[in-house]
Amino acid sequence: MSSSQHSFRGSSPAIALAQRRSRFTYRNLTQMASYNTACPLRVVAHVDLDCFYAQAEMVRLGVPEDQPLAVQQWQGLIAVNYPARAYGIGRMCTATEARRLCPSLISQHVATWREGDDKWAYRPDAAENIATDKVSLDPYRLESRRILAVIKEHLPSHLQKVEKAGIDEVFLDLSAHVHAVLLERFPELADPPPHGDSSEPLPMPSISALDWQADALVDLDDDHAEFDDPDWDDVAILVASEIVRNIRAAIREKLRYTCAGGIARNKLLSKLGSAYKKPNQQTVIRNGAVRHFLSGFKFTKFRNLGGKLGEQVSQAFSTESVQELLAVSVEQLKLKLGDDTGVWVYNTLRGIDTSEVNPRTQIKSMLSAKSFRPSIGTVDQARGWLMIFVADIYARLVEEGVLENKRRPKTINLHHRHGTQTRSRQSPIPQGRFLDEETLLGLAKTLLNQIVQEGHIWPCSNLSLSVGGFEDGISGNMGIDGFLLKGDEAQALNIGPRARVEAEGSGLPHQAEKRRRMDDGGIQRFFTKKETPPSLGSSDSVLRENGGETLGRRCREVGSDGNDGVDGPSIPDEGAGAQANDQKTAAGGHPCARCGACLEDSEALQSHQDWHFAKDLQEKERGGLAFGNQTSVIAASPHSGPWKTGPAGPKRPGRPKKTEPGQQKLTFG
Ligand code: TTP
Ligand code: CA
Ligand code: CA
């Protein structure tokens, strides 16, 4: 990376430095290079786009930066830019309320698929056509990929560890990259340790002051002082901060997007950091500032502590405050929460998180669905929707590498609702030949015919199509050329028009972007954002499992905590959503017996229950997998790094075994 020695100033006299030793060892330095998650010099960044969909629309439409703009979905808002937030507009507002608050607001409706049309498009009348349209998030996915590509371009190819953690966010483990920069800038670090003993402390950094430039630098804890000489963890985080600043500048310059960054020693802290100062800023949390930084938070804002677990903890200890919970001993936590969870919570409150930044995010299944209001009543209508679902799913299969035969699904499911009755049919997807859009559509129609033959299936209030059982392709058996289909070849193989656009437009070989399994620490599988059941007015949904696109239904619809979007709104997770809805149930409405969500009317309740149904199907499909390894951290060991990992994951109370819920995302499009 480009050297910016100017960041380091005020070198201390070498003799004095030689006598002082770092808190870190040669072994710690080596651990950085291997992305050891227990390495005390680890550096992780989180980058999150500002008001992402809103920026995507601003860029697409060439809207001036100070123009208030919101992205509308039917009558609601799903993203609000910062100029519009200044008028008090947030995701809680309806489009009408928002225009009242700011008459000059541009309220751009998301693109939609339309019944009878085989492409998504931006349509001026989309908001009024909830019955015939289905939201398409493809434009944002495309931008998301371009942003990811810029990020990767700005990291050395052999030293990158990037996890796409949502449609507009990534985690970067910068440890190995920073390690390389440190060796370049401080050649003394390349010397062998005294006596060949890697547990020897490193020499102190040959600098005494760090120039943090304009970053939001979180104040140090009381027992640390700004005038203390920096140690290697500070220098590492400074270098990481430079890298992030460069990446943000590149995204800005090449694609015109602003984003926020958080730089710290792990995912937990870096994610809190990126949300700390928005828009267009980056926050650095040095190790010496962690306690101070965290003490001001409610722990329910922490990654993985927002849902049921957070709720359980706050009930058990009658507080949501990190500060207050710090007084609770690990024994007490274990007593109330179980051993693993207790230890995990104890560490999390102290900013300890050894979960991996994991570039592998393999999709397990994809679902495209629509609830009909009014219901549909003919086979032709249903077939029209199947075409849309297939186009929607196929576009994502292309992203997954289906054209290169890298990954493909094994099964296809159709789910149909008539009144209170739900039917579903599944069929295998023939393997051994190229999977195209027409094949999928043919299979979907066959499934529909099977349902139709049963009779008494109209009117239909919900249809959903899903593919699952993803498998890696057989590319290992053939030369790579056999699978990288160029535009013409794709055409010859009768790939649908949409897929061709994707294949050509985005440069297929680049699409070979690896989707890898996200096998983050077990706790994450429990507690990261889950899909939220659609509720009031939710008319269509796309269920994905990829640890990637994080697209929730608007909070207010499931009873949010009143988040107005100003401070980085969160998608309500299962727990929070259900809780809020429980409270609303008392006030009337149509409660869901499964999760307590309170729906506006019986139709909305039905759609919502369809969601549960589709979800259950998917769960069943994934069945066998159990919780993965869980990182539990508490003991310090000078040789294995300050933290050690253990195998068992915390048990989620009262829930059946579930696989990798951290990867499940629901897109209500
Ligand atoms: P976020 O990153 O949560 O929010 P944001 O990017 O709009 O704003 P911020 O500057 O605070 O980060 O979500 C990313 C995108 O995901 C958002 O632009 C729109 C979509 N989204 C929904 O569709 N529904 C939701 O409830 C949320 C939270 C996001
Ligand atoms: Ca964002
Ligand atoms: Ca985000």
Side-chain angles (χ1 to χ4, degrees), residues 46-49 52 165-169 271 278 529 550 569:
H46 182 255
V47 175
D48 183 282
L49 273 289
F52 180 48
I167 196 163
D168 76 333
E169 58 194 87
K271 169 118 183 157
K278 268 186 160 276
K529 289 175 270 191
T550 305

Side-chain angles (χ1 to χ4, degrees), residues 46 104 121 172 366 374 397 413 434 487 533 537 594 621 668:
H46 182 255
S104 65
L172 313 172
M366 295 171 183
L397 288 174
N413 266 281
F434 185 75
R594 290 279 297 272
E621 208 174 281
F668 297 99

Side-chain angles (χ1 to χ4, degrees), residues 269-557:
L269 293 166
S270 63
K271 169 118 183 157
L272 288 170
S274 71
Y276 191 63
K277 289 263 165 76
K278 268 186 160 276
N280 202 17
Q281 293 195 62
Q282 65 185 56
T283 297
V284 172
I285 304 138
R286 290 165 290 178
N287 290 344
V290 170
R291 206 170 53 225
H292 172 79
F293 179 64
L294 291 183
S295 62
F297 280 93
K298 287 180 174 175
F299 59 77
T300 43
K301 296 285 174 211
F302 288 12
R303 198 170 157 265
N304 300 330
L305 265 170
K308 283 219 167 86
L309 178 63
E311 206 180 295
Q312 193 194 345
V313 176
S314 60
Q315 273 168 14
F317 298 95
S318 308
T319 179
E320 282 187 30
S321 141
V322 171
Q323 193 62 27
E324 287 181 24
L325 221 55
L326 282 173
V328 177
S329 70
V330 70
E331 279 71 30
Q332 285 171 290
L333 285 165
K334 280 158 78 169
L335 209 62
K336 297 242 176 149
L337 305 170
D339 283 2
D340 297 325
T341 308
V343 170
W344 182 83
V345 170
Y346 182 86
N347 289 312
T348 299
L349 291 166
R350 285 155 182 81
I352 297 170
D353 169 21
T354 56
S355 59
E356 287 262 10
V357 169
N358 201 321
R360 293 169 296 163
T361 53
Q362 278 188 346
I363 289 175
K364 292 267 180 32
S365 60
M366 295 171 183
L367 180 147
S368 187
K370 174 89 184 166
S371 291
F372 306 112
R373 279 184 280 154
S375 298
I376 58 168
T378 68
V379 178
D380 280 350
Q381 274 181 301
R383 286 198 179 135
W385 282 102
L386 290 185
M387 279 173 67
I388 290 179
F389 297 161
V390 167
D392 185 17
I393 287 175
Y394 199 75
R396 277 176 275 144
L397 288 174
V398 169
E399 266 179 57
E400 266 302 279
V402 77
L403 298 182
E404 307 108 304
N405 204 26
K406 272 175 58 206
R407 300 197 75 224
R408 55 184 286 153
K410 268 196 317 207
T411 54
I412 179 165
N413 266 281
L414 181 67
H415 162 60
H416 171 283
R417 171 176 283 280
H418 160 65
T420 54
Q421 207 173 12
T422 53
R423 294 176 171 89
S424 53
R425 289 289 178 280
Q426 190 185 58
S427 111
I429 296 172
Q431 305 292 300
R433 52 172 290 218
F434 185 75
L435 179 58
D436 58 22
E437 208 169 333
E438 280 70 25
T439 306
L440 277 187
L441 185 60
L443 291 168
K445 283 182 180 167
T446 306
L447 296 176
L448 178 67
N449 288 344
Q450 291 172 9
I451 292 174
V452 168
Q453 273 161 22
E454 284 192 10
H456 303 294
I457 63 154
W458 309 113
C460 164
S461 58
N462 178 280
L463 263 185
S464 57
L465 188 72
S466 62
V467 294
F470 275 82
E471 271 197 339
D472 290 339
I474 50 161
S475 46
N477 297 336
M478 288 174 67
I480 188 77
D481 292 346
F483 295 94
L484 292 178
L485 304 179
K486 305 287 176 336
D488 294 348
E489 295 166 289
Q491 214 153 356
L493 279 159
N494 197 18
I495 299 163
R498 249 175 74 74
R500 274 200 304 276
V501 170
E502 288 266 349
E504 289 157 5
S506 56
L508 244 186
H510 302 297
Q511 288 231 357
E513 170 196 327
K514 294 183 187 83
R515 302 270 167 166
R516 284 145 289 198
R517 176 179 297 278
M518 178 162 140
D519 55 6
D520 221 334
I523 190 81
Q524 232 158 288
R525 301 174 182 211
F526 279 99
F527 305 118
T528 42
K529 289 175 270 191
K530 312 237 178 19
E531 61 272 39
T532 308
S535 118
L536 314 187
S538 99
S539 68
D540 41 11
S541 56
V542 178
L543 181 62
R544 316 189 69 194
E545 258 185 290
N546 64 350
E549 327 290 25
T550 305
L551 309 157
R553 188 64 195 160
R554 287 169 25 249
C555 306
R556 69 196 173 91
E557 296 190 335

